[in-house]
Amino acid sequence: DARVTQTPRDKVTEMGQEVTMRCQPILGHNTVFWYRQTMMQGLELLAYFRNRAPLDDSGMPKDRFSAEMPDATLATLKIQPSEPRDSAVYFCASAPGGGGPTDTQYFGPGTRLTVL
Amino acid sequence: GENVEQHPSTLSVQEGDSAVIKCTYSDSASNYFPWYKQELGKGPQLIIDIRSNVGEKKDQRIAVTLNKTAKHFSLHITETQPEDSAVYFCAARRQAGTALIFGKGTTLSVSS
């Protein structure tokens, strides 16, 4: 049963600390998305990659957030320094790519981040 | 850019009743409209989707309708069950391989 995995599932940290979230997309999927979910804003896109190259990171605060794909099986989202307003659930999603009708996005279980 | 509005934000029904959630979108170029179900503590899961060349799609108790002219689409759940209780999100997308734009979600509660 192929699925997107994310670690850690929960993270509590203090303001100013660095946070790294990891995502393993479904094997063979070439498009990876990072979304953030809050009560106020709902689900918002932060960034996404195709074939490991960043395509759109306009939703990400550039001064503190960075997203990378070191290889095809790992995507990372880093926040440095973290702030209380970064508290949210961060989801990774992957899609097969190719532009075909089956290009469905599959979501991971999320990382719940709390910044004190 | 695309904007997706979703209504209602909360919906309570009795078991066995039908539930309808409606969404409108702003970008006439959007051509793919998925619906996701999110249970507590989990990531959104796709339950049904529709593409712009189709007006209606059904999967057992779930159906989605699309009106391209009016730029709105709806989720219909019939014979609701307590396990249908969750948050439902609609979304829209212009092009395969690009990001989804989500509505704000509808919390559905089905009481037995």
Side-chain angles (χ1 to χ4, degrees):
Chain A
D1 183 22
R3 59 185 68 187
V4 177
T5 58
Q6 290 185 246
T7 56
R9 292 296 313 276
D10 280 283
K11 176 73 176 179
V12 180
T13 191
E14 293 191 347
M15 182 172 63
Q17 296 298 304
E18 177 178 303
V19 175
T20 299
M21 290 169 269
R22 294 177 175 81
C23 166
Q24 183 172 12
I26 293 172
L27 191 64
H29 283 193
N30 71 358
T31 311
V32 176
F33 303 83
W34 283 104
Y35 292 91
R36 175 170 63 183
Q37 184 175 39
T38 61
M39 289 295 292
M40 293 299 295
Q41 300 299 326
L43 274 161
E44 302 175 288
L45 176 74
L46 293 175
Y48 75 99
F49 295 76
R50 183 172 302 134
N51 295 321
R52 298 174 55 200
L55 286 190
D56 184 352
D57 61 1
S58 58
M60 217 163 58
K62 303 288 193 307
D63 56 338
R64 299 184 299 107
F65 284 59
S66 62
E68 296 180 342
M69 280 201 74
D71 62 58
T73 64
L74 177 64
T76 63
L77 180 66
K78 291 186 181 180
I79 308 175
Q80 168 63 15
S82 57
E83 296 181 2
R85 60 180 166 149
D86 301 329
S87 297
V89 181
Y90 291 80
F91 288 104
C92 174
S94 72
T102 58
D103 199 23
T104 301
Q105 292 185 24
Y106 297 88
F107 281 75
T111 293
R112 179 177 298 276
L113 174 65
T114 304
V115 183
L116 303 174
Chain B
E2 176 66 279
N3 183 48
V4 178
E5 301 278 344
Q6 183 171 348
H7 299 280
S9 56
T10 59
L11 180 59
S12 296
V13 300
Q14 291 285 321
E15 183 177 1
D17 287 350
S18 295
V20 180
I21 304 170
K22 299 181 179 182
C23 288
T24 59
Y25 61 98
S26 60
D27 188 350
S28 56
S30 288
N31 59 16
Y32 173 66
F33 309 92
W35 286 88
Y36 283 81
K37 176 183 180 182
Q38 186 177 24
E39 297 174 329
L40 201 60
K42 297 184 178 180
Q45 266 201 310
L46 179 75
I47 55 171
I48 196 167
D49 57 14
I50 191 166
R51 299 175 199 280
S52 59
N53 58 347
V54 175
E56 184 174 358
K57 184 176 178 181
K58 193 172 181 180
D59 183 4
Q60 298 183 339
R61 296 186 298 108
I62 295 173
V64 58
T65 59
L66 171 65
N67 183 327
K68 282 192 66 180
T69 304
K71 288 191 280 187
H72 66 70
F73 56 113
S74 301
L75 178 72
H76 304 253
I77 306 174
T78 59
E79 300 171 29
T80 54
Q81 300 167 4
E83 50 265 39
D84 294 329
S85 297
V87 181
Y88 291 81
F89 292 94
C90 63
R93 185 183 73 193
R94 287 189 96 180
Q95 184 181 343
T98 62
L100 295 169
I101 306 301
F102 285 90
K104 288 286 197 283
T106 297
T107 301
L108 174 64
S109 299
V110 181
S111 52
S112 53

